[in-house]
């Protein structure tokens, strides 16, 4: 008997099911689509170059902030360590004198007993809470001469002062331990932020690094343009001041009152002249450091951080500045940016974590960040909005 089954045509559909050839092609398409779908999120997860740049800049700023905290903690720790050492030396000297005086009083107590009914008890004296307690208990106070009573009173006072110094030293040691903890934390924070920044940069391709350099160059060009604009404004203001001074001087020669006014105006420029002299010294020092590496926490002479070089520069001019940006910003007179003069300190960011020394024409000398060197740069290097204030330190 012939079979009733019909042969299935190649390439046809039977009950909605594709033939093996078409099914294979469909499965391949699905697999490719699936791979594309899976690959898309990975591409989306990768940050843009602009995002990387912003993240790196933020990490460097955070490292700068942590550096200033480290500098403050280091300075505080050094002062506390010096204080602790002084207190411990003082306590040691006082304790030695106290022991010598105690032995002398013990000898005196034994001598007093030589004429008494009972045997001397020097050990009891040496273990007594105070000489007063011992002498009162043994009824020796009534037998003392005035000079001997003064010696006991002096001993009691000395003992009390020694105990106070011991307590003070213990409290200072506790504060020192706390400062050392803060110092360790700040140091770890700086190192972590810098490591994160290096890791981000290490993931960039050569092409991305080139593009990043191009973006940075554009920022520098814009910063230079802003600096030139400020220089023109300051030059115009200076010209106006000179014209006004010339007019005042001319009118001042016609009357005594005007002469007096001109005299006071002339005297008011004396502090400016003094400041200019100091500023010249500070700037000469700063220029001599150009090319030295930025190292966080460094104060020279081989390397500097931002507040380290401003402190060192003004020290060369005979002016002592605090160590950190937080304190340097309060160590002088705040002036408008338009009135900035060579030698002034320019501070950056809302948290005041960066500083440079103004050299004129919208430019400054500063130690920018890790991986860079002390250099001249526009005060607009990170945008106009980053400028916090200008301070004249002397």
């Amino acid at each position: 008997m012939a079979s009733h089954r019909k042969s299935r045509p190649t390439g046809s559909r039977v009950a909605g099911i594709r033939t093996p050839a078409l099914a294979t092609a469909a499965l391949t398409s699905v697999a490719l689509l699936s791979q594309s779908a899976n690959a898309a999120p990975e591409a989306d997860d990768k940050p843009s170059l602009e995002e990387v740049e912003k993240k790196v800049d933020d990490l460097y700023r955070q490292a700068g902030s942590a550096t200033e905290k480290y500098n403050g903690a280091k300075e505080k720790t050094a002062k506390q360590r010096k204080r602790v050492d002084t207190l411990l030396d003082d306590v040691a000297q006082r304790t030695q004198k106290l022991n010598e005086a105690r032995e002398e009083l013990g000898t005196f107590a034994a001598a007093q007993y030589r004429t008494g009914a009972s045997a001397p008890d020097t050990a009891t004296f040496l273990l007594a809470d105070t000489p007063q307690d011992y002498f009162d208990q043994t009824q020796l106070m009534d037998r003392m001469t005035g000079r001997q009573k003064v010696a006991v009173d002096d001993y009691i006072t000395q003992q009390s002062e020694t105990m106070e110094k011991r307590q003070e030293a213990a409290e200072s040691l506790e504060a020192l331990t706390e400062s050392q903890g803060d110092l360790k934390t700040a140091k770890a924070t700086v190192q972590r932020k810098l490591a994160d920044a290096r890791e981000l940069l290490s993931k960039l391709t050569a092409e991305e690094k080139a593009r990043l350099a191009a973006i940075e160059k554009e920022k520098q060009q814009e910063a230079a343009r802003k600096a030139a604009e400020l220089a023109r404004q300051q030059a115009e203001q200076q010209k106006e001041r000179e014209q006004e001074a010339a007019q005042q001087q001319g009118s001042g020669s016609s009357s005594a009152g005007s002469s007096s006014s001109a005299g006071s105006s002339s005297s008011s420029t004396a502090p400016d002249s003094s400041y200019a002299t100091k500023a010249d010294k500070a700037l000469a020092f700063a220029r001599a450091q150009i090319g030295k590496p930025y190292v966080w926490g460094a104060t020279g002479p081989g390397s500097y951080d931002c507040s380290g070089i401003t402190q060192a520069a003004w020290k060369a001019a005979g002016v002592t500045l605090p160590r950190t940006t937080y304190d340097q910003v309060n160590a002088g007179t705040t002036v408008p940016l338009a009135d900035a003069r060579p030698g002034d300190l320019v501070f950056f960011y809302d948290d005041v974590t960066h500083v440079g020394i103004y050299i004129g024409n919208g430019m400054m000398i500063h130690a920018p960040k890790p991986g860079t060197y002390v250099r001249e740069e526009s005060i607009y290097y990170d945008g106009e909005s980053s400028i916090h204030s200008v301070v004249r330190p002397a």
Side-chain angles (χ1 to χ4, degrees), residues 337-357:
L337 177 59
D339 294 336
R341 296 173 54 187
D344 291 350
L345 302 180
V346 186
F347 294 89
F348 297 85
Y349 311 119
D350 293 338
D351 54 358
V352 197
T353 52
H354 189 66
V355 62
I357 183 168

Side-chain angles (χ1 to χ4, degrees), residues 24-48:
T24 301
L27 290 172
T28 302
S29 299
V30 170
L32 290 173
L33 288 172
S34 177
Q35 290 176 1
S36 300
N38 291 334
E42 292 180 4
D44 292 340
D45 287 343
K46 184 177 181 180
S48 67

Side-chain angles (χ1 to χ4, degrees), residues 178-195:
E178 183 178 350
S179 292
Q180 288 173 330
D182 294 340
L183 184 64
K184 184 177 180 180
T185 299
K187 182 177 181 179
T189 301
V190 175
Q191 293 174 330
R192 185 175 65 254
K193 297 298 182 184
L194 294 180

Side-chain angles (χ1 to χ4, degrees), residues 68-82 179 183 311 320-324 327:
E68 291 306 310
K69 291 179 180 178
Y70 170 85
N71 291 339
K74 184 178 180 181
E75 185 178 44
K76 183 178 180 181
T77 299
K79 290 180 179 178
Q80 288 178 330
R81 182 178 290 110
K82 184 176 181 181
S179 292
L183 184 64
Q311 183 189 49
T320 300
L321 292 181
R323 175 64 182 94
T324 68
D327 293 325

Side-chain angles (χ1 to χ4, degrees), residues 53-67:
E53 181 195 28
K54 184 179 184 305
K55 181 64 175 176
V56 170
D57 286 345
D58 286 345
L59 285 169
Y60 277 134
R61 278 193 55 193
Q62 292 169 20
S65 177
T67 295

Side-chain angles (χ1 to χ4, degrees), residues 47-48 78 230 260 263 266 271 304 315 326 347 369:
S48 67
L230 177 61
S260 175
S266 175
Y304 297 89
K315 183 179 180 180
Y326 311 125
F347 294 89
K369 60 185 178 182

Side-chain angles (χ1 to χ4, degrees), residues 219-229 363 378 380:
K219 287 174 61 177
Q220 291 177 354
Q221 290 173 343
E222 175 61 17
R225 186 190 68 77
K226 294 287 292 182
E229 181 181 338
M363 303 292 287
S378 167
Y380 299 101

Side-chain angles (χ1 to χ4, degrees), residues 192-210:
R192 185 175 65 254
K193 297 298 182 184
L194 294 180
D196 290 345
R198 286 193 295 269
E199 183 180 1
L200 277 174
L201 291 173
S202 68
K203 293 179 179 179
L204 296 179
T205 64
E207 181 181 354
E208 288 173 330
K209 289 179 180 179

